[in-house]
Amino acid sequence: MKKIDLYIYKKFIGTFFFAISMLVVIVIIFDLSENIDSFLKNNAPWQRVLVDYYIMSVPYYINLFIHLFAFIAVVFFTSKMASRTEIVAILSSGISFWRFLYPYFLAALTIAIMSLYFGNFLIPKSNEIRRKFKDEYMERLSESAGRNVHVQIGKDEFVYVETYNIFKQYGYKFSWEQYEGSELKFKMVSDVLYHDTLADNSWKIDPYAARTIDADTETLVTGRDYRTLLNLYPKDLYKMKEDFEEMDFFELRDQIQGMREKGSEGVKEYEVEMHRRMAAPAAILILTLIGAALSSRKVRGGIGMHLGIGISIAFSYILFMQISKSYAISGDLSPFMAVWIPNFIFAVLGVYLLAKAPK
């Protein structure tokens, strides 16, 4: 990079990290004031409050607002450069406007890569600790899936559990059925199904009665303490609020595939989350170019005018994203289109503003 590139790059990165750091501090202060009663009421150790909840929340808060504050940082420092006629001097020296945007792109790419890593790998790991603390001392994230839970665990294989106790890890009134086409070939029933904590999909069935049906014969076997591996996990039998927050990209992808195979409901919410993690870094690049094109012109009203317009655009993007996300989860809009449509629309806006920017 040339000196002017390094100057703009450092301005962008420095303004962004300063702004996002101030925001995180403010958010933590407000969160503490709101939740301090819960911490005291539930006797939460302050060391765990600080480390397990607030320190582990920092990556989450950064990534939540990262594209918004990248955009605001661009608008803020570019407006200052425009008001001091620095941009006029740069362009008058023979540097094209597209070359002028080069350090903006590099800085935005740096922040986008950070967002990609945070959203897909770092935050899911920190969320395991944060959500465990939240479940113990703030709100119950796990809840029963209700009565009469049916789960497809294979192509022609089904499990039924009348109720499942989350804390004791066992279910009542269990049945396991295997079919060939529409014909029942195997069925096992039991009063109680126990989860073996040594392996996620290891189960103990006690007592049991198993019926095997062949072409001409039918065999019934009864007994105690039957142990087996099933394509069934405890989380299939109860609901964990937004459990995708604890999954990295590959775990989330495997979870979606497993839910599709089992015919589980709610798979769209997981698909939206997976696409959102990829679309958010792209939004940083798009909003950066919009911010640079918008605030590179010196206007009456200066920084205040640019910030006002910039914040309106940023919040309209967030509103658009929330509306399309709701349509994907509860309507017929595909998760991919729901997440990427705002990026496509604002990319067109960015191209228009870049075409109108001073050259």
Side-chain angles (χ1 to χ4, degrees):
M1 289 192 291
K2 305 294 185 182
K3 285 186 177 180
I4 190 66
D5 296 328
L6 192 59
Y7 171 75
I8 294 173
Y9 182 90
K10 291 168 77 173
K11 281 279 188 183
F12 188 167
I13 296 296
T15 305
F16 166 75
F17 277 106
F18 177 78
I20 201 76
S21 298
M22 293 299 99
L23 175 73
V24 168
V25 171
I26 292 170
V27 169
I28 288 176
I29 291 172
F30 275 96
D31 188 87
L32 178 61
S33 65
E34 182 178 345
N35 292 308
I36 192 169
D37 289 340
S38 296
F39 299 150
L40 295 174
K41 180 181 178 181
N42 296 305
N43 299 315
W46 285 104
Q47 183 179 2
R48 291 195 63 190
V49 171
L50 177 63
V51 177
D52 291 4
Y53 185 65
Y54 284 113
I55 292 181
M56 293 300 156
S57 295
V58 169
Y60 171 79
Y61 289 137
I62 289 175
N63 209 49
L64 183 65
F65 300 105
I66 195 167
H67 52 280
L68 173 62
F69 274 80
F71 180 68
I72 291 175
V74 170
V75 172
F76 181 77
F77 86 84
T78 306
S79 294
K80 290 186 68 176
M81 289 177 64
S83 66
R84 295 195 295 256
T85 66
E86 292 179 63
I87 296 177
V88 173
I90 292 170
L91 299 180
S92 298
S93 67
I95 295 176
S96 69
F97 184 74
W98 303 108
R99 177 62 183 80
F100 167 71
L101 292 177
Y102 175 67
Y104 284 89
F105 176 77
L106 287 182
L109 187 61
T110 302
I111 297 173
I113 291 172
M114 183 180 76
S115 174
L116 193 67
Y117 172 70
F118 273 31
N120 288 288
F121 300 102
L122 178 62
I123 292 176
K125 298 305 176 187
S126 64
N127 273 346
E128 290 180 9
I129 301 171
R130 183 178 70 89
R131 284 167 56 85
K132 182 178 179 181
F133 174 89
K134 196 172 181 179
D135 194 45
E136 290 180 21
Y137 298 106
M138 298 177 68
E139 63 172 303
R140 181 62 62 185
L141 298 177
S142 55
E143 60 181 18
S144 172
R147 298 179 63 86
N148 303 322
V149 182
H150 296 262
V151 180
Q152 183 174 355
I153 62 174
K155 183 180 178 181
D156 295 308
E157 199 170 356
F158 302 87
V159 161
Y160 164 81
V161 178
E162 185 176 288
T163 59
Y164 187 76
N165 189 305
I166 301 169
F167 306 105
K168 295 181 179 179
Q169 296 281 292
Y170 57 78
Y172 300 95
K173 302 298 181 183
F174 161 79
S175 73
W176 172 22
E177 299 175 350
Q178 296 176 359
Y179 290 82
E180 282 186 9
S182 59
E183 294 184 12
L184 179 65
K185 292 297 182 179
F186 173 83
K187 181 171 184 177
M188 177 179 287
V189 296
S190 174
D191 289 334
V192 184
L193 172 75
Y194 301 89
H195 173 235
D196 186 348
T197 56
L198 297 178
D200 284 344
N201 58 345
S202 178
W203 299 89
K204 173 185 172 184
I205 303 169
D206 184 34
Y208 70 90
R211 186 161 58 107
T212 304
I213 305 170
D214 292 326
D216 300 319
T217 61
E218 182 174 325
T219 305
L220 178 65
V221 178
T222 61
R224 302 293 302 268
D225 196 15
Y226 181 86
R227 297 176 184 269
T228 186
L229 295 176
L230 297 172
N231 187 25
L232 179 72
Y233 301 87
K235 60 186 178 183
D236 294 328
L237 302 175
Y238 67 86
K239 298 176 182 178
M240 177 65 75
K241 185 179 178 182
E242 296 178 344
D243 59 342
F244 52 73
E245 290 186 349
E246 299 181 22
M247 301 177 189
D248 64 28
F249 177 80
F250 301 108
E251 291 170 342
L252 182 58
R253 184 188 60 185
D254 293 342
Q255 173 74 5
I256 291 171
Q257 185 175 351
M259 292 178 74
R260 286 174 180 165
E261 291 174 354
K262 295 175 182 178
S264 302
E265 296 181 358
V267 67
K268 274 193 171 184
E269 190 174 0
Y270 290 79
E271 292 176 325
V272 167
E273 173 66 15
M274 184 176 70
H275 290 301
R276 185 195 65 79
R277 293 183 185 183
M278 307 307 294
I284 294 170
L285 298 172
I286 295 169
L287 291 175
T288 293
L289 295 179
I290 291 176
L294 180 70
S295 53
S296 57
R297 186 190 301 273
K298 188 174 182 178
V299 296
R300 183 176 297 176
I303 298 175
M305 177 66 72
H306 285 149
L307 279 176
I309 297 173
I311 290 173
S312 299
I313 291 175
F315 277 101
S316 65
Y317 173 84
I318 294 172
L319 178 62
F320 209 129
M321 177 66 79
Q322 291 300 320
I323 292 173
S324 60
K325 178 181 175 181
S326 299
Y327 271 105
I329 294 174
S330 58
D332 297 327
L333 189 62
S334 75
F336 175 83
M337 292 302 297
V339 172
W340 284 94
I341 278 178
N343 281 358
F344 296 148
I345 292 175
F346 279 79
V348 172
L349 175 62
V351 171
Y352 172 78
L353 291 175
L354 287 171
K356 293 293 184 180
K359 303 297 190 295

